[in-house]
Amino acid sequence: MENSAMPINWYPGHMAKTKRLLSDQIRKVDLILELCDARLPHSSRNPEINRLAGGKKRIVLLNKADLADPAETAKWLKVIRASGTDAFAINSTMLKTKEIIQLIQKSTKDAVDRALARGVRKTVKVMVLGVPNVGKSTLINALRGKGIARTGDRPGVTKSNQWIRISPYLELLDTPGMLWPRLDDQQAAKRLCYIGSVKDDVTDLYLLSLSLLEEMMETCPDRVMDRFHVNDPSLRGQELIDAVCRGRGWLLKGGECDYDRASRVILDEFRGGKLGRITLEKAPEQGKDVNEKPAGTGQNDEGEAAAPGRGSKSTEEVNP
Ligand code: GDP
């Protein structure tokens, strides 16, 4: 599909204000949990986070790993870790909260120990950041658990930017930081539509579902052919969606293809994992992740020296 056929204008205004708000929030935390979608580990990350995050510590969480190809997820984790940023795969709907808390504690141990050496028992502050629909609220709610008090529930404490106390010395900002989807890259924008990060009503569903079908015919043709009863792996364009309609019996009274129905169901089934665990973006060669500095520079994005030992985790998945 020609990208020009489906222009996506996700973010017309308010960009500067959003960035300012995010910078303010980030300044208050010790650690950022950067959520991205394990099916699109490139497109669902926003490179601006590098600048916005300043020198803050960050853990990348490949969420919805239950919907992604585990072998690809493992490769992506390696690439991100090789660049000096901790990364783990999770499923926020079945979160092993304790393990995430341990990750946070491990990642912030240096700062806590430094404070302790000065006689201060530091409260670690954490925020969750990511593009829409990536699972930020689900993660926050899971970490919040039942019966955990908001620090802002005390009288006289402001209601906005409330902190949730996770453990005696760990607090989570209760509102996620919203990153905008990539604006510069129509391919990424289109893929973000597949996962519902950009609203369906700004795109043409027929073109979107056809584009998704075509991408899946490249990455996992067998899944498409099985699920939609298509026999010819060389089909593309309208011939492909026509074959899908006929395969699944999505036909109107005169026998014409019911494209409206096909478009909705193709997207729904992909989003719901009905075609199996699919990663649409292959991991680049080691050290080539455009969101990160190449491995071995010893520096993070802000030119700050990377802590020794970071990026050498052996755990592949926390709980996809
Ligand atoms: P937010 O916009 O980033 O806050 O995203 P939400 O937390 O509202 O999640 C968007 C949708 O993704 C919801 O339907 C969640 O149930 C679902 N979701 C979140 N995390 C996961 C996950 O790890 N796996 C799966 N399969 N679904 C998830």
Side-chain angles (χ1 to χ4, degrees):
M1 182 180 66
E2 282 291 316
N3 284 328
S4 57
M6 199 182 65
I8 293 166
N9 223 346
W10 190 81
Y11 209 85
H14 312 305
M15 176 78 88
K17 192 176 170 211
T18 307
K19 282 188 192 176
R20 248 193 337 269
L21 280 173
L22 263 185
S23 298
D24 285 350
Q25 284 180 325
I26 287 171
R27 217 168 292 136
K28 294 179 196 149
V29 301
D30 303 291
L31 175 73
I32 296 168
L33 297 179
E34 181 194 349
L35 237 62
C36 63
D37 190 305
R39 293 166 296 176
L40 291 178
H42 173 71
S43 294
S44 66
R45 293 184 72 192
N46 184 323
E48 290 222 39
I49 189 174
N50 295 334
R51 202 180 42 74
L52 277 167
K56 297 289 172 172
K57 276 233 172 190
R58 211 180 341 154
I59 300 177
V60 172
L61 296 173
L62 297 185
N63 193 36
K64 306 199 184 185
D66 54 307
L67 300 175
D69 176 347
E72 279 303 318
T73 300
K75 286 186 202 160
W76 272 106
L77 290 177
K78 261 193 187 153
V79 169
I80 298 168
R81 288 170 186 167
S83 68
T85 307
D86 271 352
F88 299 89
I90 61 167
N91 169 358
S92 286
T93 61
M94 311 238 306
L95 199 69
K96 290 178 183 156
T97 313
K98 224 167 135 185
E99 291 183 18
I100 299 292
I101 291 171
Q102 280 168 356
L103 289 182
I104 295 172
Q105 285 169 338
K106 204 166 168 184
S107 174
T108 53
K109 189 175 180 310
D110 289 353
V112 170
D113 287 349
R114 273 199 305 274
L116 216 49
R118 297 196 312 269
V120 179
R121 187 69 166 95
K122 182 178 172 58
T123 297
V124 169
K125 298 200 168 200
V126 180
M127 78 178 288
V128 173
L129 192 63
V131 297
N133 211 42
V134 75
K136 300 179 296 297
S137 311
T138 309
L139 177 67
I140 290 173
N141 288 335
L143 286 172
R144 166 185 287 161
K146 284 212 179 89
I148 292 178
R150 291 170 169 208
T151 55
D153 282 347
R154 295 193 304 271
V157 177
T158 170
K159 282 284 177 193
S160 62
N161 277 0
Q162 296 181 51
W163 297 93
I164 306 159
R165 185 162 294 141
I166 303 288
S167 69
Y169 295 99
L170 178 59
E171 288 182 3
L172 178 71
L173 192 61
D174 80 345
T175 44
M178 172 83 90
L179 277 174
W180 48 96
R182 284 168 181 273
L183 298 172
D184 51 337
D185 176 348
Q186 281 292 302
Q187 161 102 311
K190 195 171 59 178
R191 289 178 171 164
L192 287 160
C193 292
Y194 302 156
I195 61 165
S197 210
V198 176
K199 286 212 159 56
D200 283 344
D201 53 16
V202 303
T203 92
D204 177 322
L205 284 193
Y206 170 83
L207 290 174
L208 187 67
S209 59
L210 176 53
S211 174
L212 171 60
L213 274 181
E214 289 184 334
E215 285 212 39
M216 291 193 292
M217 284 301 266
E218 301 302 324
T219 49
C220 50
D222 294 348
R223 305 280 183 85
V224 179
M225 289 168 50
D226 271 7
R227 181 82 196 166
F228 299 116
H229 312 304
V230 173
N231 299 319
D232 181 352
S234 70
L235 292 180
R236 295 293 183 273
Q238 187 167 342
E239 283 184 343
L240 174 58
I241 206 162
D242 283 355
V244 166
C245 288
R246 282 193 299 275
R248 290 283 291 269
W250 297 326
L251 301 170
L252 298 167
K253 272 194 184 129
E256 282 167 34
C257 292
D258 186 346
Y259 295 122
D260 285 346
R261 181 168 179 199
S263 306
R264 267 184 287 109
V265 180
I266 292 163
L267 286 165
D268 280 353
E269 294 197 349
F270 169 74
R271 289 170 182 168
K274 295 269 169 53
L275 284 96
R277 298 173 72 171
I278 297 173
T279 303
L280 288 171
E281 293 175 333
K282 297 258 170 280
E285 289 168 49
Q286 285 276 336
K288 296 277 174 63
D289 184 6
V290 298
N291 277 311
E292 306 289 348
K293 286 277 186 204
T297 61
Q299 292 196 325
N300 68 12
D301 309 293
E302 291 70 43
E304 187 192 52
R310 282 170 74 194
S312 59
K313 291 276 188 312
S314 58
T315 324
E316 288 305 326
E317 296 183 336
V318 177
N319 63 339

